[in-house]
Amino acid sequence: MAFSKDFLWGTASAAYQVEGAYNEDGKGQNIWDAYCQEIGHIAHGENGNVACDHYHRFREDVKVMREMGIRNYRFSISWSRILPDGTGKVNEKGLQFYSDLVDELLANGIEPLVTLFHWDYPLALHQKGGWMNRDSSDWFAEYAKVVVDALSDRVSYWMTINEPQVFIGCGYAIGKFAPFEVHQAKDLTRMTHNVLLSHGKAVQVIRKYAKKKPVIGFAFATACCTPEDTSPAAVEAAKEKSFAFTKGRFPFETSWWADPIFFGAYPKAAYEILGEENMPEILPGDMDIISQPVDFYGVNIYESKAAENPDGYAENAYVGCARTQMGWPVTPEALYWSPKFLHERYQKPVLLSENGMACHDWVQLDGRVHDPNRIDFMKRYLRELHRSIQDGAEVMGYMYWSVLDNFEWADGYDKRFGLVHVDYQTQERTIKDSGYFYRDVIATNGEAIFSDTWEDVKA
């Protein structure tokens, strides 16, 4: 058997990227709603006000997932749709949307995986200091309790926070993502500490109040370094580099975020490199909260990129290398080494919470979307994931990013990651060839990835 019989085959999305309905049914504003409107941040001045209109079309989208044979769907909750002010009064219409979505998924044989936070921070809380405010972890715990009370009778799988490396790094360190700010290390460490406290308190809330036995993790990005060769020395060097703390990468390092959760402490090198004066204030009990036990290590992996080479190319990139529409080098070996390294270091099952590629996709003259590059990408990456499992990595599932073409943050709508093409003028959905290929992968429990050819068997 290619993969374990209980392997989770699925796909993923994020609330702001697909839902639209940014000001409907009592929803409050988040930082993307507010700051996308400022000129110069987003390609072509675009925003997520409508996006894929998933808020109104979720039943249609679930049927499309069913047609593709999707068994698991990872989606995020919009915090400000549930709590317009971030805390306090609950917006029942917003909560009902997610309850209806869960019911629709289950009715179609699709297991929901809920992510509590995927970058769309409530504007009202941002204006109170946001992640800089130590109260932010209590705000997050309050929000988590509302969602758990409403959905945990039907939802088992929970992810607290998606890619804190990215929303802190790109949102507050380099100013590329909302709220488009640039802060120094002292502020960034304070924010990250509060994010980790938020994660820990959410884990506590889920454990205490979930009505079904919960399976809890997160969805982190990772800096994967792959070895120059398979010699023990090269492998050890790559592993060490994958978890090293270096000033040039802060706050994107894996160890900065994961070590506190699993080891109860920040990396020692952080104190040396950042200096004691830039480290966060750690109050008694903080690390106990942060290091609440989790059930899996969720990780989003797209490429191997641990450092910059002197010639200006990211590791494993070279002149004329294969690249996705995002410009990221195609490095399938990342799905071999990264799960292996993560499992060895943190001793938890790994969930590929995101992996995929953006292509230049359009509906062709025959009415179909032919994306052979994406099919080839999936084969290459999944073969490496399978090899990692064979060599001892414990991997519980794979979520392709993404189910739909969607709003790709600062890149607007130019970049298309989806298994399903979305015409943003008409909102028409068209399953791409890769969506039908993924249906075959799921139906064969992975065996389809080992064929060098693929014949379209669209029903």
Side-chain angles (χ1 to χ4, degrees):
M1 185 174 291
F3 292 83
S4 65
K5 58 180 172 46
D6 55 354
F7 193 80
L8 303 178
W9 292 106
T11 190
S13 73
Y16 187 75
Q17 292 182 270
V18 298
E19 285 180 4
Y22 79 107
N23 63 352
E24 293 186 38
D25 291 339
K27 178 184 171 296
Q29 279 200 319
N30 62 56
I31 57 175
W32 285 89
D33 293 323
Y35 297 117
C36 275
Q37 316 303 326
E38 295 181 352
I39 296 173
H41 290 316
I42 311 298
H44 317 299
E46 293 169 345
N47 57 55
N49 290 359
V50 177
C52 305
D53 198 27
H54 179 69
Y55 185 78
H56 298 111
R57 299 170 182 267
F58 72 92
R59 288 187 171 85
E60 173 189 351
D61 291 335
V62 171
K63 286 182 173 62
V64 169
M65 285 185 239
R66 183 181 65 185
E67 184 175 346
M68 291 190 294
I70 301 300
R71 295 178 184 170
N72 302 272
Y73 177 47
R74 178 190 166 218
F75 64 93
S76 75
I77 307 287
S78 170
W79 187 343
S80 58
R81 195 179 294 283
I82 301 297
L83 294 165
D85 296 319
T87 61
K89 185 177 180 181
V90 175
N91 176 29
E92 295 296 340
K93 287 185 177 180
L95 202 56
Q96 189 63 48
F97 165 70
Y98 294 107
S99 182
D100 291 346
L101 173 58
V102 167
D103 285 345
E104 191 73 12
L105 289 166
L106 294 172
N108 285 273
I110 302 170
E111 181 83 15
L113 289 75
V114 167
T115 303
L116 291 173
F117 181 73
H118 196 132
W119 304 4
D120 48 352
Y121 201 77
L123 180 63
L125 299 185
H126 173 70
Q127 293 171 336
K128 293 181 179 180
W131 297 117
M132 283 285 287
N133 191 328
R134 187 176 169 88
D135 291 341
S136 58
S137 61
D138 292 325
W139 301 336
F140 192 70
E142 177 187 340
Y143 158 61
K145 174 70 161 51
V146 172
V147 177
V148 169
D149 283 348
L151 303 182
S152 66
D153 58 329
R154 290 155 289 163
V155 172
S156 298
Y157 291 93
W158 299 89
M159 277 160 267
T160 54
I161 290 174
N162 181 81
E163 291 187 344
Q165 300 98 321
V166 180
F167 73 75
I168 293 294
C170 290
Y172 300 91
I174 64 175
K176 181 181 178 181
F177 290 166
F180 308 103
E181 296 179 354
V182 177
H183 291 257
Q184 300 303 308
K186 182 68 175 178
D187 289 346
L188 297 174
T189 59
R190 181 175 181 175
M191 290 183 202
T192 58
H193 190 68
N194 289 333
V195 170
L196 287 167
L197 282 171
S198 299
H199 158 79
K201 289 182 180 180
V203 173
Q204 290 177 323
V205 166
I206 298 168
R207 293 264 184 240
K208 183 174 180 180
Y209 295 105
K211 298 165 188 174
K212 292 179 65 176
K213 184 179 179 181
V215 183
I216 307 172
F218 45 75
F220 282 3
T222 193
C224 173
C225 179
T226 55
E228 295 180 4
D229 54 54
T230 57
S231 67
V235 170
E236 191 59 34
K239 184 191 302 185
E240 182 178 339
K241 196 170 184 180
S242 293
F243 299 105
F245 185 93
T246 57
K247 186 175 183 180
R249 287 284 300 166
F250 175 76
F252 293 95
E253 294 92 343
T254 295
S255 60
W256 173 256
W257 296 94
D259 281 13
I261 293 174
F262 293 100
F263 303 148
Y266 289 102
K268 290 182 180 179
Y271 289 85
E272 300 168 5
I273 292 173
L274 297 177
E276 289 277 356
E277 68 278 8
N278 286 319
M279 292 298 289
E281 180 184 14
I282 302 174
L283 300 185
D286 278 5
M287 301 315 294
D288 289 336
I289 293 171
I290 290 170
S291 60
Q292 291 294 302
V294 294
D295 300 303
F296 63 90
Y297 192 116
V299 62
N300 303 344
I301 304 174
Y302 293 89
E303 58 176 319
S304 174
K305 183 181 179 182
E308 296 296 322
N309 289 336
D311 62 4
Y313 288 95
E315 281 197 16
N316 299 320
Y318 50 86
V319 176
C321 69
R323 294 182 183 273
T324 71
Q325 191 192 16
M326 294 294 289
W328 300 341
V330 177
T331 56
E333 63 274 12
L335 255 61
Y336 174 80
W337 291 108
S338 191
K340 189 175 177 63
F341 290 163
L342 289 169
H343 182 242
E344 288 173 355
R345 182 177 178 89
Y346 297 118
Q347 295 294 300
K348 287 292 178 181
V350 173
L351 173 67
L352 266 294
S353 39
E354 289 182 24
N355 171 254
M357 72 170 289
C359 290
H360 294 278
D361 300 328
W362 62 83
V363 179
Q364 299 188 15
L365 292 174
D366 62 0
R368 302 285 299 278
V369 180
H370 303 296
D371 55 344
N373 285 13
R374 183 175 285 110
I375 294 172
D376 185 80
F377 177 99
M378 295 171 75
K379 285 184 178 182
R380 291 174 185 269
Y381 275 71
L382 283 169
R383 286 179 183 183
E384 290 296 302
L385 181 63
H386 178 258
R387 189 164 70 92
S388 186
I389 294 169
Q390 285 184 315
D391 287 351
E394 186 178 354
V395 181
M396 58 188 283
Y398 173 89
M399 303 293 122
Y400 178 84
W401 182 272
S402 60
V403 61
L404 301 170
D405 291 337
N406 54 43
F407 177 79
E408 189 48 45
W409 308 114
D411 289 305
Y413 294 96
D414 285 348
K415 306 298 194 294
R416 293 181 176 270
F417 277 87
L419 297 171
V420 178
H421 180 276
V422 178
D423 183 327
Y424 298 113
Q425 305 302 308
T426 66
Q427 291 296 339
E428 182 178 358
R429 274 70 162 145
T430 303
I431 299 176
K432 303 175 187 180
D433 286 355
S434 59
Y436 291 112
F437 169 71
Y438 194 39
R439 180 184 66 181
D440 293 351
V441 171
I442 296 170
T444 62
N445 198 30
E447 291 180 12
I449 68 173
F450 299 109
S451 171
D452 290 330
T453 59
W454 177 72
E455 183 179 350
D456 184 357
V457 290
K458 180 185 176 185

